[in-house]
Amino acid sequence: MFYGVQKWRTVNVGPSVTSDGVEWKWCPHHKHPRGHYSGLYYSNHDESTHAEWKQRKDARSNKTAATTDKQPSEAPKKLTITNELKNAFMTNLHVSEADIDKIIASASAQGN
């Protein structure tokens, strides 16, 4: 690997190369920010289709960013406990149902 890319992809030896049965085309638009390479071989686009490829890539990135930038759902206002968990507390920890209800009420009051 060479700065996150297979080294052979960073060296222009012609307009296209075949590696592992896949044709890779040279695209000079991919430049390392620190100048370590000036172009890369890509299997999904070449110089002539770079603009369209970049638009699709940016659209996917923006869609992903919009999905991940959403605010988390508002937490429920009332704290609840499932019957299964309540039964586990009562059976395994010998906590009474009344004590469980007090714990839930106390935790709900502290959360507000």
Side-chain angles (χ1 to χ4, degrees):
M1 295 296 274
F2 182 71
Y3 296 98
V5 179
Q6 295 165 316
K7 182 150 178 71
W8 70 265
R9 289 183 55 206
T10 67
V11 180
N12 186 355
V13 294
S16 67
V17 296
T18 301
S19 177
D20 295 326
V22 177
E23 184 180 22
W24 296 75
K25 298 171 199 95
W26 183 254
C27 185
H29 299 288
H30 299 273
K31 302 186 185 316
H32 190 276
R34 295 188 183 150
H36 297 292
Y37 53 80
S38 182
L40 289 172
Y41 282 101
Y42 270 83
S43 62
N44 59 357
H45 75 279
D46 61 14
E47 182 176 7
S48 65
T49 59
H50 178 84
E52 295 86 14
W53 169 84
K54 179 127 173 62
Q55 282 181 328
R56 287 191 310 272
K57 179 180 176 282
D58 291 346
R60 282 191 310 268
S61 295
N62 290 338
K63 185 176 181 180
T64 302
T67 303
T68 56
D69 288 346
K70 289 182 181 177
Q71 295 296 324
S73 309
E74 191 172 314
K77 296 291 182 190
K78 182 179 178 186
L79 183 62
T80 60
I81 187 170
T82 64
N83 285 334
E84 291 84 6
L85 187 55
K86 191 181 275 192
N87 287 335
F89 281 136
M90 291 169 32
T91 303
N92 297 318
L93 301 175
H94 306 289
V95 178
S96 71
E97 188 169 1
D99 286 341
I100 293 172
D101 292 339
K102 286 179 191 174
I103 292 168
I104 297 296
S106 175
S108 293
Q110 290 176 6
N112 291 332

